[in-house]
Amino acid sequence: MMDVASALQRLANYRTKNSRASREIFESGVIVFRNDALHKLGDDSWQFLESLALAAVDVGRVDVAEACLKHLSAKFPESPRVQCLEGILKEATEDPEVALAFYQRLLEADPSSLAVWKRQISVLRRLGRTETAVDELSKLVDTFYTDVEAWLELADLYISLYQYTSALQALSHVLLLAPQNPFYVLQAAETAYTAEDIPLAIRFFLMTIDMIGDDEVSPPPTGITFELSAARLETDPRLATSSVLRQLAREVIETAQASQHGAESQASLIWLRR
């Protein structure tokens, strides 16, 4: 049986790593909670209760989540953050329509509550009201333009509706806000390929290689979509906007094939460093 000191140490490690290991957080946190050791956390006790409540919801321990929420509500009775946590608990225990109505009431009182707005959109999507979720999320990013997570969610919603052009527009904002993240560029490449904009797809793929090509931990992407894009662009000149792009596509295929056989040819990637 884990003692309180060990549980506190584990929780500290999870906080340092910003981990969402719900099962582990619950198992350690419930020991602290049930042994009345909250005082040992000092000012961090309230954040601990929030984390424990979320972990408890994730693992299906509603009783523990409700107990945490009771403490938080007593300390912060009008806190939007605590109200949002109450909504998450309703999502786990009641009909989605009940949770949706709860969030709508909160937004009527405070239309600028970002956390509540996002939860409302999540419930709308869960209910299959995707177009309404798109409308709400479009309003949200107009208000909170720099929220990368919201733009990514909007792109994903558009993709679920097969509106790939709109998804690419949303991703273009993501790339403006987070231009150094190669995984966002790769997502744009995959989306462009699905939208059959092959020249744009290959450009995004090449940008991804340029960003992580020298990273030994994260090798350049050579997935099937990438190679299909390059092959299609190279074999169908009508899709290429220039002979240079076709040449780069050919070099990409050759490099991918060489890497499959363990070759370490760098000549075909000289253009990346120009």
Side-chain angles (χ1 to χ4, degrees):
M1 181 69 177
M2 191 188 312
D3 58 22
V4 172
S6 298
L8 287 170
Q9 183 59 51
R10 287 193 178 188
L11 289 170
N13 291 336
Y14 293 135
R15 284 197 301 273
T16 300
K17 297 177 182 178
N18 195 27
S19 174
R20 182 69 186 272
S22 297
R23 173 61 63 181
E24 292 79 3
I25 290 174
F26 175 79
E27 291 175 351
S28 299
V30 77
I31 292 173
V32 176
F33 185 70
R34 287 178 173 169
N35 283 277
D36 296 322
L38 288 176
H39 64 280
K40 295 185 178 182
L41 292 167
D43 293 336
D44 291 335
S45 61
W46 306 112
Q47 183 178 352
F48 159 77
L49 285 171
E50 182 183 30
S51 298
L52 178 57
L54 290 170
V57 170
D58 285 346
V59 301
R61 289 298 302 273
V62 175
D63 58 325
V64 175
E66 289 176 339
C68 293
L69 183 60
K70 183 177 180 180
H71 282 276
L72 289 166
S73 297
K75 178 66 176 178
F76 309 103
E78 300 298 327
S79 167
R81 192 161 173 168
V82 175
Q83 291 173 333
C84 188
L85 184 59
E86 182 180 352
I88 292 172
L89 187 56
K90 288 182 182 294
E91 290 181 50
T93 59
E94 302 187 43
D95 188 273
E97 293 286 358
V98 174
L100 181 61
F102 176 75
Y103 290 136
Q104 289 173 339
R105 288 195 299 273
L106 293 180
L107 286 173
E108 287 175 2
D110 181 10
S112 65
S113 179
L114 177 60
V116 174
W117 209 347
K118 286 185 174 182
R119 294 312 310 173
Q120 179 199 43
I121 292 167
S122 177
V123 175
L124 285 169
R125 190 168 188 180
R126 178 179 167 188
L127 289 168
R129 302 179 191 175
T130 309
E131 293 185 357
T132 304
V134 167
D135 291 340
E136 286 297 322
L137 198 47
S138 297
K139 296 174 186 176
L140 188 150
V141 294
D142 282 342
T143 306
F144 301 97
Y145 176 77
T146 58
D147 193 319
V148 173
E149 181 184 76
W151 282 110
L152 288 169
E153 179 71 9
L154 182 59
D156 191 55
L157 282 169
Y158 279 130
I159 289 172
S160 71
L161 294 171
Y162 308 105
Q163 297 178 13
Y164 300 112
T165 300
S166 296
L168 281 170
Q169 290 173 349
L171 288 171
S172 70
H173 292 281
V174 172
L175 299 183
L176 284 173
L177 294 168
Q180 302 304 317
N181 192 316
F183 298 102
Y184 296 157
V185 182
L186 184 59
Q187 184 173 347
E190 296 278 359
T191 304
Y193 177 80
T194 306
E196 297 191 346
D197 190 338
I198 306 304
L200 181 60
I202 203 68
R203 281 191 170 92
F204 280 137
F205 278 125
L206 296 177
M207 285 174 60
T208 308
I209 293 178
D210 196 12
M211 296 171 74
I212 65 175
D214 292 327
D215 187 347
E216 295 180 358
V217 177
S218 301
T222 55
I224 185 64
T225 308
F226 181 34
E227 294 186 31
L228 285 173
S229 296
R232 184 171 173 185
L233 182 61
E234 201 277 330
T235 57
D236 190 347
R238 295 173 300 172
L239 294 174
T241 56
S242 70
S243 59
V244 173
L245 197 57
R246 288 199 300 276
Q247 176 62 27
L248 294 182
R250 185 179 299 111
E251 292 173 354
V252 165
I253 295 175
E254 292 172 354
T255 302
Q257 291 172 341
S259 64
Q260 290 175 358
H261 293 87
E264 295 295 336
S265 172
Q266 295 296 319
S268 61
L269 293 180
I270 290 176
W271 53 269
L272 288 175
R273 297 169 179 81
R274 290 176 181 170

